[in-house]
mmCIF file of all heavy atoms in Angstrom:
data_model
loop_
_atom_site.group_PDB
_atom_site.id
_atom_site.type_symbol
_atom_site.label_atom_id
_atom_site.label_comp_id
_atom_site.label_asym_id
_atom_site.label_seq_id
_atom_site.Cartn_x
_atom_site.Cartn_y
_atom_site.Cartn_z
ATOM 1 N N LYS Z 7 281.928 79.098 76.475
ATOM 2 C CA LYS Z 7 280.863 78.757 77.402
ATOM 3 C C LYS Z 7 280.476 77.295 77.245
ATOM 4 O O LYS Z 7 280.618 76.726 76.169
ATOM 5 C CB LYS Z 7 279.647 79.641 77.118
ATOM 6 C CG LYS Z 7 279.251 79.516 75.670
ATOM 7 C CD LYS Z 7 278.070 80.336 75.387
ATOM 8 C CE LYS Z 7 277.718 80.339 73.924
ATOM 9 N NZ LYS Z 7 278.323 79.385 73.081
ATOM 10 N N SER Z 9 278.249 74.240 76.414
ATOM 11 C CA SER Z 9 277.318 74.219 75.289
ATOM 12 C C SER Z 9 275.881 73.987 75.733
ATOM 13 O O SER Z 9 274.963 74.142 74.949
ATOM 14 C CB SER Z 9 277.709 73.127 74.306
ATOM 15 O OG SER Z 9 277.645 71.876 74.977
ATOM 16 N N LEU Z 11 274.154 75.765 77.740
ATOM 17 C CA LEU Z 11 273.467 77.001 78.113
ATOM 18 C C LEU Z 11 272.893 77.654 76.871
ATOM 19 O O LEU Z 11 273.581 77.854 75.881
ATOM 20 C CB LEU Z 11 274.431 77.966 78.806
ATOM 21 C CG LEU Z 11 274.821 77.612 80.240
ATOM 22 C CD1 LEU Z 11 275.731 78.686 80.805
ATOM 23 C CD2 LEU Z 11 273.597 77.446 81.114
ATOM 24 N N ALA Z 12 271.613 77.974 76.912
ATOM 25 C CA ALA Z 12 270.988 78.625 75.760
ATOM 26 C C ALA Z 12 271.145 80.133 75.851
ATOM 27 O O ALA Z 12 271.351 80.806 74.852
ATOM 28 C CB ALA Z 12 269.510 78.263 75.692
ATOM 29 N N ILE Z 13 271.018 80.651 77.073
ATOM 30 C CA ILE Z 13 271.078 82.100 77.258
ATOM 31 C C ILE Z 13 272.012 82.420 78.417
ATOM 32 O O ILE Z 13 271.931 81.795 79.478
ATOM 33 C CB ILE Z 13 269.677 82.681 77.567
ATOM 34 C CG1 ILE Z 13 268.707 82.356 76.429
ATOM 35 C CG2 ILE Z 13 269.741 84.180 77.787
ATOM 36 C CD1 ILE Z 13 267.270 82.674 76.750
ATOM 37 N N ARG Z 69 269.704 74.975 78.227
ATOM 38 C CA ARG Z 69 268.910 74.604 77.063
ATOM 39 C C ARG Z 69 267.709 73.759 77.478
ATOM 40 O O ARG Z 69 267.825 72.888 78.333
ATOM 41 C CB ARG Z 69 269.802 73.793 76.106
ATOM 42 C CG ARG Z 69 269.244 73.622 74.723
ATOM 43 C CD ARG Z 69 270.305 73.126 73.780
ATOM 44 N NE ARG Z 69 271.457 74.033 73.746
ATOM 45 C CZ ARG Z 69 271.443 75.246 73.169
ATOM 46 N NH1 ARG Z 69 270.350 75.675 72.589
ATOM 47 N NH2 ARG Z 69 272.506 76.004 73.185
ATOM 48 N N ARG Z 92 266.613 92.258 71.032
ATOM 49 C CA ARG Z 92 267.434 93.192 70.258
ATOM 50 C C ARG Z 92 266.659 94.384 69.716
ATOM 51 O O ARG Z 92 267.059 94.995 68.732
ATOM 52 C CB ARG Z 92 268.128 92.468 69.089
ATOM 53 C CG ARG Z 92 269.162 91.487 69.585
ATOM 54 C CD ARG Z 92 270.161 91.196 68.519
ATOM 55 N NE ARG Z 92 269.581 90.418 67.443
ATOM 56 C CZ ARG Z 92 270.129 90.282 66.241
ATOM 57 N NH1 ARG Z 92 271.252 90.893 65.963
ATOM 58 N NH2 ARG Z 92 269.561 89.543 65.338
ATOM 59 N N ALA Z 101 274.944 89.931 76.701
ATOM 60 C CA ALA Z 101 274.126 88.722 76.748
ATOM 61 C C ALA Z 101 274.420 87.914 75.505
ATOM 62 O O ALA Z 101 274.708 88.487 74.450
ATOM 63 C CB ALA Z 101 272.638 89.075 76.808
ATOM 64 N N GLU Z 102 274.374 86.601 75.649
ATOM 65 C CA GLU Z 102 274.586 85.749 74.493
ATOM 66 C C GLU Z 102 273.470 84.722 74.423
ATOM 67 O O GLU Z 102 273.141 84.092 75.419
ATOM 68 C CB GLU Z 102 275.939 85.038 74.579
ATOM 69 C CG GLU Z 102 277.070 85.918 74.130
ATOM 70 C CD GLU Z 102 278.342 85.116 73.924
ATOM 71 O OE1 GLU Z 102 278.486 84.047 74.538
ATOM 72 O OE2 GLU Z 102 279.178 85.563 73.135
ATOM 73 N N ILE Z 103 272.903 84.590 73.237
ATOM 74 C CA ILE Z 103 271.860 83.596 73.028
ATOM 75 C C ILE Z 103 272.357 82.675 71.936
ATOM 76 O O ILE Z 103 272.725 83.138 70.858
ATOM 77 C CB ILE Z 103 270.541 84.249 72.568
ATOM 78 C CG1 ILE Z 103 270.145 85.358 73.538
ATOM 79 C CG2 ILE Z 103 269.444 83.213 72.470
ATOM 80 C CD1 ILE Z 103 268.892 86.090 73.131
ATOM 81 N N SER Z 104 272.398 81.375 72.215
ATOM 82 C CA SER Z 104 272.829 80.478 71.143
ATOM 83 C C SER Z 104 271.611 79.779 70.565
ATOM 84 O O SER Z 104 270.767 79.260 71.288
ATOM 85 C CB SER Z 104 273.871 79.486 71.643
ATOM 86 O OG SER Z 104 273.423 78.863 72.800
ATOM 87 N N GLY Z 105 271.529 79.813 69.272
ATOM 88 C CA GLY Z 105 270.384 79.240 68.567
ATOM 89 C C GLY Z 105 269.515 80.331 67.984
ATOM 90 O O GLY Z 105 269.624 81.498 68.363
ATOM 91 N N ARG Z 106 268.632 79.947 67.081
ATOM 92 C CA ARG Z 106 267.781 80.917 66.422
ATOM 93 C C ARG Z 106 266.747 81.467 67.416
ATOM 94 O O ARG Z 106 266.096 80.694 68.117
ATOM 95 C CB ARG Z 106 267.060 80.268 65.248
ATOM 96 C CG ARG Z 106 266.845 81.184 64.073
ATOM 97 C CD ARG Z 106 266.563 80.361 62.835
ATOM 98 N NE ARG Z 106 265.310 79.643 62.962
ATOM 99 C CZ ARG Z 106 264.136 80.152 62.594
ATOM 100 N NH1 ARG Z 106 264.073 81.381 62.114
ATOM 101 N NH2 ARG Z 106 263.040 79.450 62.708
ATOM 102 N N VAL Z 107 266.633 82.771 67.488
ATOM 103 C CA VAL Z 107 265.752 83.416 68.466
ATOM 104 C C VAL Z 107 264.459 83.853 67.789
ATOM 105 O O VAL Z 107 264.481 84.453 66.718
ATOM 106 C CB VAL Z 107 266.434 84.662 69.066
ATOM 107 C CG1 VAL Z 107 265.579 85.251 70.182
ATOM 108 C CG2 VAL Z 107 267.804 84.333 69.574
ATOM 109 N N GLY Z 108 263.332 83.504 68.385
ATOM 110 C CA GLY Z 108 262.070 84.051 67.918
ATOM 111 C C GLY Z 108 261.477 84.839 69.056
ATOM 112 O O GLY Z 108 261.365 84.336 70.173
ATOM 113 N N GLY Z 135 261.515 86.662 61.197
ATOM 114 C CA GLY Z 135 262.827 86.140 60.843
ATOM 115 C C GLY Z 135 262.795 84.875 60.012
ATOM 116 O O GLY Z 135 263.820 84.226 59.828
ATOM 117 N N PRO Z 183 261.410 78.289 66.885
ATOM 118 C CA PRO Z 183 262.811 78.678 67.000
ATOM 119 C C PRO Z 183 263.460 77.895 68.129
ATOM 120 O O PRO Z 183 262.759 77.220 68.892
ATOM 121 C CB PRO Z 183 262.731 80.155 67.368
ATOM 122 C CG PRO Z 183 261.472 80.262 68.137
ATOM 123 C CD PRO Z 183 260.546 79.206 67.639
ATOM 124 N N GLU Z 184 264.772 77.966 68.234
ATOM 125 C CA GLU Z 184 265.430 77.260 69.327
ATOM 126 C C GLU Z 184 265.229 77.979 70.659
ATOM 127 O O GLU Z 184 265.177 77.348 71.694
ATOM 128 C CB GLU Z 184 266.911 77.088 69.012
ATOM 129 C CG GLU Z 184 267.147 75.938 68.076
ATOM 130 C CD GLU Z 184 268.000 76.304 66.867
ATOM 131 O OE1 GLU Z 184 268.223 77.490 66.606
ATOM 132 O OE2 GLU Z 184 268.447 75.387 66.195
ATOM 133 N N VAL Z 185 265.133 79.304 70.583
ATOM 134 C CA VAL Z 185 264.848 80.083 71.790
ATOM 135 C C VAL Z 185 263.630 80.959 71.512
ATOM 136 O O VAL Z 185 263.625 81.714 70.537
ATOM 137 C CB VAL Z 185 266.054 80.976 72.174
ATOM 138 C CG1 VAL Z 185 265.716 81.834 73.374
ATOM 139 C CG2 VAL Z 185 267.275 80.125 72.443
ATOM 140 N N MET D 1 275.858 76.165 65.598
ATOM 141 C CA MET D 1 274.669 76.903 66.031
ATOM 142 C C MET D 1 274.995 78.394 66.109
ATOM 143 O O MET D 1 276.047 78.792 66.576
ATOM 144 C CB MET D 1 274.236 76.375 67.408
ATOM 145 C CG MET D 1 272.971 77.016 67.880
ATOM 146 S SD MET D 1 272.269 76.137 69.270
ATOM 147 C CE MET D 1 271.578 74.699 68.493
ATOM 148 N N SER D 2 274.077 79.190 65.609
ATOM 149 C CA SER D 2 274.332 80.626 65.581
ATOM 150 C C SER D 2 274.269 81.219 66.989
ATOM 151 O O SER D 2 273.468 80.777 67.809
ATOM 152 C CB SER D 2 273.288 81.316 64.698
ATOM 153 O OG SER D 2 272.015 81.136 65.263
ATOM 154 N N VAL D 3 275.146 82.163 67.239
ATOM 155 C CA VAL D 3 275.148 82.813 68.542
ATOM 156 C C VAL D 3 274.855 84.292 68.344
ATOM 157 O O VAL D 3 275.465 84.962 67.529
ATOM 158 C CB VAL D 3 276.512 82.631 69.243
ATOM 159 C CG1 VAL D 3 276.559 83.461 70.516
ATOM 160 C CG2 VAL D 3 276.755 81.173 69.542
ATOM 161 N N THR D 4 273.856 84.786 69.086
ATOM 162 C CA THR D 4 273.527 86.202 69.032
ATOM 163 C C THR D 4 274.202 86.884 70.204
ATOM 164 O O THR D 4 273.988 86.497 71.349
ATOM 165 C CB THR D 4 272.004 86.400 69.148
ATOM 166 O OG1 THR D 4 271.371 85.495 68.253
ATOM 167 C CG2 THR D 4 271.611 87.806 68.819
ATOM 168 N N ARG D 5 275.003 87.864 69.936
ATOM 169 C CA ARG D 5 275.651 88.624 71.010
ATOM 170 C C ARG D 5 274.924 89.949 71.164
ATOM 171 O O ARG D 5 274.707 90.653 70.185
ATOM 172 C CB ARG D 5 277.114 88.897 70.666
ATOM 173 C CG ARG D 5 278.010 87.706 70.829
ATOM 174 C CD ARG D 5 279.403 88.080 70.365
ATOM 175 N NE ARG D 5 280.075 88.956 71.320
ATOM 176 C CZ ARG D 5 280.805 88.497 72.335
ATOM 177 N NH1 ARG D 5 280.938 87.220 72.526
ATOM 178 N NH2 ARG D 5 281.393 89.338 73.151
ATOM 179 N N LYS D 18 275.399 91.268 55.587
ATOM 180 C CA LYS D 18 275.010 89.864 55.550
ATOM 181 C C LYS D 18 273.610 89.697 56.149
ATOM 182 O O LYS D 18 272.762 88.985 55.609
ATOM 183 C CB LYS D 18 276.031 89.044 56.360
ATOM 184 C CG LYS D 18 275.960 87.568 56.073
ATOM 185 C CD LYS D 18 277.116 86.834 56.748
ATOM 186 C CE LYS D 18 276.680 85.451 57.161
ATOM 187 N NZ LYS D 18 276.581 85.266 58.595
ATOM 188 N N GLU D 19 273.390 90.398 57.255
ATOM 189 C CA GLU D 19 272.107 90.294 57.934
ATOM 190 C C GLU D 19 270.993 90.905 57.086
ATOM 191 O O GLU D 19 269.884 90.364 56.999
ATOM 192 C CB GLU D 19 272.194 91.014 59.269
ATOM 193 C CG GLU D 19 271.044 90.699 60.181
ATOM 194 C CD GLU D 19 271.112 91.507 61.456
ATOM 195 O OE1 GLU D 19 271.364 92.720 61.380
ATOM 196 O OE2 GLU D 19 270.922 90.917 62.510
ATOM 197 N N GLU D 22 270.002 88.477 54.616
ATOM 198 C CA GLU D 22 269.187 87.396 55.164
ATOM 199 C C GLU D 22 267.718 87.801 55.311
ATOM 200 O O GLU D 22 266.839 86.956 55.335
ATOM 201 C CB GLU D 22 269.733 86.959 56.533
ATOM 202 C CG GLU D 22 270.823 85.918 56.400
ATOM 203 C CD GLU D 22 271.583 85.705 57.686
ATOM 204 O OE1 GLU D 22 271.080 86.117 58.751
ATOM 205 O OE2 GLU D 22 272.678 85.140 57.614
#
Side-chain angles (χ1 to χ4, degrees):
Chain Z
K7 55 179 175 13
S9 61
L11 286 182
I13 301 170
R69 194 166 303 288
R92 292 202 290 164
E102 279 193 335
I103 307 178
S104 51
R106 215 161 65 89
V107 186
E184 280 129 347
V185 177
Chain D
M1 184 166 285
S2 63
V3 173
T4 313
R5 284 176 74 89
K18 196 172 147 249
E19 193 184 45
E22 274 167 17

